[in-house]
Amino acid sequence: MKRLFRPVLLPLLAAMLSASAGATEVKGLSMQVHDLATPFVQVWERNAGKPDAEFLRDFRSTIGARFPGFYDAQRFSGMFTPAQYENMIVKARAEFPSMRAAYEKKVARFTQELPGHIASFRASFPDYAAKTDIWFLHSLGEMDGGTRTLDGKTYFVFGADAMVKYHGDGDEAAFFHHELFHDYHEMECSGEPIWASLWNEGLATYVAKRMNPAANNSELLLDIPRNLVADTQKQLGRAFEDLHGKLDSDDRTAYAGLFQGRGGDDTGLPARRGYYLGYLVAEDIGKTMSMQQMAKLDCASARTAVLASVERLRKAHAASAK
């Protein structure tokens, strides 16, 4: 992969991440990093042996008050009642001892490795502004990494607990490059059609692979659920035929089957297969474009490229669908 230049590591970022309270600006960037993952350990420790109500009060005042839009049942649009959401916090407390060692190791690695991941990403995408605040926290099982829009503002969130659960102790470079690319890409198309999600996730996975050629499926998050790639390859013709008919749809069941690990659809095809299919589409388009050029496509141009690629791949794998 061609490197445009090799920037100096961001010297203030490592120091910034080590602070467990407040947020610190990085010189030359508008990004701030808020560490709420470390305070979770502290809240858990000082409430050992105390009732759940004491833990909840401490959690709310120490952690929840610093990111109230995130730790709020209301943002789930009725999926959870406030009481059910509090039960999720209590459950996270109960489960924490079994993951504590891995969690603390993940927190330390985040601190150590993020500056290098940002630097290497900017070597390939030097115009990456790193302007979206990062919130590093215990996500109560919700997410390993991604963005959340709260009250009209976008937040860049990393969940240490889900990183432990889904990533194990492997190399995190591909994961960080995937998520940093989402922050860089910022392509939002009206209506949230399937093709746009396919492009966003597939291109991020493709960039992560290009930047980390040795990354395996697990490190690329293409092994959730287990054997995702192998199971999709067995039905690749059917998978592209099904995808072809859904590209301009914004149906949430179709979306769930392609991009969520649970919920799925009634096709009999692997759940979350859209990540792998999107990767294959990006790989196909990447035969004639650099990843930098692909990242700059507007919605109309991206849609044209995606639809043409899916048609090519659908025809190429048509025989296996029979």
Side-chain angles (χ1 to χ4, degrees):
M1 178 175 57
K2 183 179 179 181
R3 296 283 183 178
L4 301 181
F5 68 92
R6 184 174 300 278
V8 176
L9 290 181
L10 308 178
L12 295 182
L13 189 52
M16 172 187 64
L17 283 166
S18 66
S20 63
T24 307
E25 292 189 3
V26 183
K27 184 177 181 180
L29 302 177
S30 55
M31 171 186 284
Q32 292 184 321
V33 178
H34 307 253
D35 177 13
L36 300 185
T38 301
F40 185 90
V41 181
Q42 298 165 346
V43 170
W44 184 87
E45 283 183 335
R46 65 174 168 254
N47 287 281
K50 296 180 181 180
D52 287 336
E54 291 293 316
F55 175 85
L56 280 168
R57 277 194 289 271
D58 197 351
F59 179 91
R60 287 296 188 192
S61 62
T62 303
I63 298 173
R66 289 177 55 194
F67 201 3
F70 184 85
Y71 292 110
D72 188 344
Q74 291 186 2
R75 74 180 175 90
F76 292 97
S77 303
M79 186 180 298
F80 307 112
T81 66
Q84 288 172 327
Y85 194 72
E86 285 199 342
N87 286 338
M88 292 170 60
I89 300 173
V90 170
K91 182 181 178 182
R93 177 198 191 189
E95 294 176 345
F96 188 66
S98 66
M99 73 160 61
R100 179 176 179 177
Y103 180 97
E104 292 184 322
K105 184 175 182 180
K106 194 69 70 175
V107 170
R109 286 186 61 182
F110 188 97
T111 300
Q112 295 163 3
E113 295 176 1
L114 181 59
H117 295 321
I118 291 178
S120 59
F121 185 83
R122 295 183 84 190
S124 291
F125 297 94
D127 58 334
Y128 174 50
K131 64 182 181 299
T132 307
D133 282 7
I134 286 180
W135 294 79
F136 184 44
L137 44 71
H138 192 303
S139 74
L140 309 181
E142 179 180 343
M143 61 192 299
D144 54 356
T147 58
R148 291 292 183 269
T149 301
L150 308 172
D151 295 326
K153 182 179 179 180
T154 299
Y155 296 85
F156 199 2
V157 181
F158 288 92
D161 57 313
M163 289 170 68
V164 168
K165 180 177 179 180
Y166 296 114
H167 304 186
D169 199 31
D171 188 340
E172 297 280 25
F175 163 69
F176 276 104
H177 290 148
H178 181 119
E179 299 303 339
L180 290 169
F181 182 78
H182 279 314
D183 188 45
Y184 170 75
H185 193 206
E186 293 187 322
M187 190 188 77
E188 296 184 6
C189 303
S190 62
E192 299 183 359
I194 293 293
W195 76 260
S197 296
L198 186 83
W199 181 238
N200 284 328
E201 296 299 345
L203 184 54
T205 305
Y206 174 75
V207 166
K209 179 63 174 177
R210 285 288 304 275
M211 294 186 66
N212 303 274
N216 58 36
N217 288 336
S218 179
E219 291 164 350
L220 291 168
L221 306 185
L222 289 178
D223 202 31
I224 306 170
R226 187 61 58 89
N227 297 321
L228 168 63
V229 170
D231 289 345
T232 304
Q233 288 175 338
K234 292 174 184 176
Q235 306 183 72
L236 208 49
R238 280 193 60 225
F240 273 113
E241 188 65 36
D242 173 76
L243 176 64
H244 181 261
K246 297 175 177 176
L247 290 171
D248 283 319
S249 172
D250 59 3
D251 180 75
R252 302 319 292 170
T253 299
Y255 176 88
L258 285 160
F259 298 103
Q260 294 179 354
R262 55 187 177 185
D265 53 29
D266 60 0
T267 63
L269 293 163
R272 206 172 170 272
R273 62 191 178 278
Y275 285 84
Y276 179 56
L277 297 177
Y279 167 78
L280 294 178
V281 167
E283 183 181 48
D284 178 59
I285 296 171
K287 293 175 182 177
T288 57
M289 290 187 192
S290 70
M291 58 184 183
Q292 291 82 5
Q293 290 172 323
M294 294 160 74
K296 295 299 184 183
L297 292 179
D298 59 24
C299 286
S301 300
R303 179 181 179 276
T304 297
V306 168
L307 267 60
S309 176
V310 170
E311 179 64 11
R312 285 193 297 272
L313 293 169
R314 182 179 74 92
K315 290 179 177 179
H317 296 286
S320 65
K322 299 177 181 178

